[in-house]
Amino acid sequence: MSQPIEQIVRRKLSDEVFDRLERMITSGELQPGDEMPSERVLMERFGVGRPAIREAMQSLANKGLVNISHGERAKVLKLTAKSIFQQVDLTAKIMLSQSTDSLEQLKSARIFFERGMAREAAQRASANDISDLRKIIERQRNSLGRAEEFINADMGFHTRIAQISGNPIYVAVSEAMLAWLKEYHTEMLIWTGKEKFTLAEHEEIVNRLEANDVDGSEMAILKHLERSSALYAK
């Protein structure tokens, strides 16, 4: 029995350069904040032309590993959970726009995630956390009738709850899901009076958090999200 043919695909020079540059970053040879070597230095080091260097550098920038500013050397970026999620922001929005199932799955994932965040916050919330949440609710109340401001405050409220955990990955996940859902937040929220329900539900969530009521906080946020979930539609 003959062996299947395994073709060797010749890689572009820029792909090889990208791998080398990435290794310089991941190995610690280059640290966050460091300038990348000049094009001329890299051309001599790797024995390639300027186009391969520039293409590889652009690939690094697209992946959030370096920042390229006109007239300056590219700089190595510090990777954070937030910057990683921002790299998939456009891809996620395209995926959601192409599939109703994906949108429903995101809504479901958000509810699952925020129930956990509510339980965590109820155990850890300080007086300052509660004060911040009440200020956000007041900001929402003062922005009634102004859709963009109201929705931004709404997103800020849920992200602030995630911040109580002290875990930046939770905060990044919260911000990412809210940003993706915002694309599908219909004007129903503003024009049918449902914003009043949102304010009342937010108040109840904060009351439960302040009382360190773990189960009550989870139930309050579940009730809120199951109702408001219908406001996100394609």
Side-chain angles (χ1 to χ4, degrees), residues 20-88:
R20 303 281 184 89
L21 294 177
E22 184 183 43
R23 205 170 301 129
M24 290 168 68
I25 295 171
T26 57
S27 69
E29 181 181 343
L30 291 169
Q31 297 287 327
D34 287 351
E35 288 186 342
M36 296 293 290
S38 69
E39 288 182 352
R40 183 171 295 282
V41 167
L42 292 174
M43 287 163 61
E44 291 175 358
R45 177 168 175 171
F46 300 139
V48 298
R50 184 171 275 108
I53 298 295
R54 289 187 173 177
E55 193 172 336
M57 201 70 76
Q58 189 59 55
S59 294
L60 288 175
N62 292 343
K63 291 184 180 296
L65 295 175
V66 303
N67 179 57
I68 299 176
S69 297
H70 182 66
E72 297 180 11
R73 290 259 194 93
K75 286 187 178 179
V76 180
L77 291 174
K78 178 178 175 62
L79 285 178
T80 64
K82 183 172 183 175
S83 69
I84 290 169
F85 276 109
Q86 286 175 338
Q87 293 305 308
V88 301

Side-chain angles (χ1 to χ4, degrees), residues 9-157:
V9 179
R10 182 176 295 174
R11 303 182 73 201
K12 292 194 304 181
L13 272 179
S14 60
D15 291 338
E16 294 289 350
V17 174
F18 172 86
D19 286 348
R20 303 281 184 89
L21 294 177
E22 184 183 43
R23 205 170 301 129
M24 290 168 68
I25 295 171
T26 57
S27 69
E29 181 181 343
L30 291 169
Q31 297 287 327
D34 287 351
E35 288 186 342
M36 296 293 290
S38 69
E39 288 182 352
R40 183 171 295 282
V41 167
L42 292 174
M43 287 163 61
E44 291 175 358
R45 177 168 175 171
F46 300 139
V48 298
R50 184 171 275 108
I53 298 295
R54 289 187 173 177
E55 193 172 336
M57 201 70 76
Q58 189 59 55
S59 294
L60 288 175
N62 292 343
K63 291 184 180 296
L65 295 175
V66 303
N67 179 57
I68 299 176
S69 297
H70 182 66
E72 297 180 11
R73 290 259 194 93
K75 286 187 178 179
V76 180
L77 291 174
K78 178 178 175 62
L79 285 178
T80 64
K82 183 172 183 175
S83 69
I84 290 169
F85 276 109
Q86 286 175 338
Q87 293 305 308
V88 301
D89 194 58
L90 178 59
T91 310
K93 288 175 181 176
I94 292 171
M95 177 191 74
L96 291 167
S97 71
Q98 294 175 342
S99 169
T100 301
D101 286 345
S102 294
L103 181 57
E104 290 303 315
Q105 288 159 1
L106 176 59
K107 286 155 64 172
S108 177
R110 184 201 173 191
I111 291 173
F112 181 87
F113 172 80
E114 293 222 19
R115 289 175 71 172
M117 287 298 89
R119 296 185 69 86
E120 182 82 3
Q123 298 173 71
R124 300 169 63 105
S126 67
N128 184 60
D129 293 324
I130 299 301
S131 175
D132 282 353
L133 289 168
R134 294 202 187 282
K135 287 175 184 174
I136 294 172
I137 293 173
E138 191 57 31
R139 195 166 82 239
Q140 268 195 299
R141 187 173 285 109
N142 292 334
S143 64
L144 282 170
R146 297 191 297 277
E148 188 70 17
E149 290 179 38
F150 190 91
I151 293 169
N152 285 339
D154 187 274
M155 293 167 67
F157 178 84

Side-chain angles (χ1 to χ4, degrees), residues 106-234:
L106 176 59
K107 286 155 64 172
S108 177
R110 184 201 173 191
I111 291 173
F112 181 87
F113 172 80
E114 293 222 19
R115 289 175 71 172
M117 287 298 89
R119 296 185 69 86
E120 182 82 3
Q123 298 173 71
R124 300 169 63 105
S126 67
N128 184 60
D129 293 324
I130 299 301
S131 175
D132 282 353
L133 289 168
R134 294 202 187 282
K135 287 175 184 174
I136 294 172
I137 293 173
E138 191 57 31
R139 195 166 82 239
Q140 268 195 299
R141 187 173 285 109
N142 292 334
S143 64
L144 282 170
R146 297 191 297 277
E148 188 70 17
E149 290 179 38
F150 190 91
I151 293 169
N152 285 339
D154 187 274
M155 293 167 67
F157 178 84
H158 290 277
T159 298
R160 186 64 182 83
I161 291 174
Q163 288 172 350
I164 296 173
S165 69
N167 187 326
I169 294 178
Y170 288 159
V171 178
V173 170
S174 176
E175 289 178 334
M177 288 197 291
L178 288 164
W180 301 338
L181 281 169
K182 187 183 177 185
E183 297 290 306
Y184 306 96
H185 204 313
T186 70
E187 292 300 309
M188 290 166 59
L189 177 65
I190 303 302
W191 303 121
T192 61
K194 288 190 168 60
E195 69 273 30
K196 300 260 175 72
F197 287 108
T198 294
L199 290 169
E201 289 162 359
H202 280 186
E203 290 277 11
E204 177 60 18
I205 291 165
V206 176
N207 289 341
R208 295 299 94 221
L209 292 175
E210 187 174 32
N212 303 120
D213 181 353
V214 174
D215 291 336
S217 296
E218 180 186 1
M219 289 303 101
I221 211 154
L222 176 60
K223 175 186 173 185
H224 169 56
L225 293 180
E226 284 185 337
R227 180 193 62 78
S228 62
S229 180
L231 301 176
Y232 296 91
K234 282 175 68 66

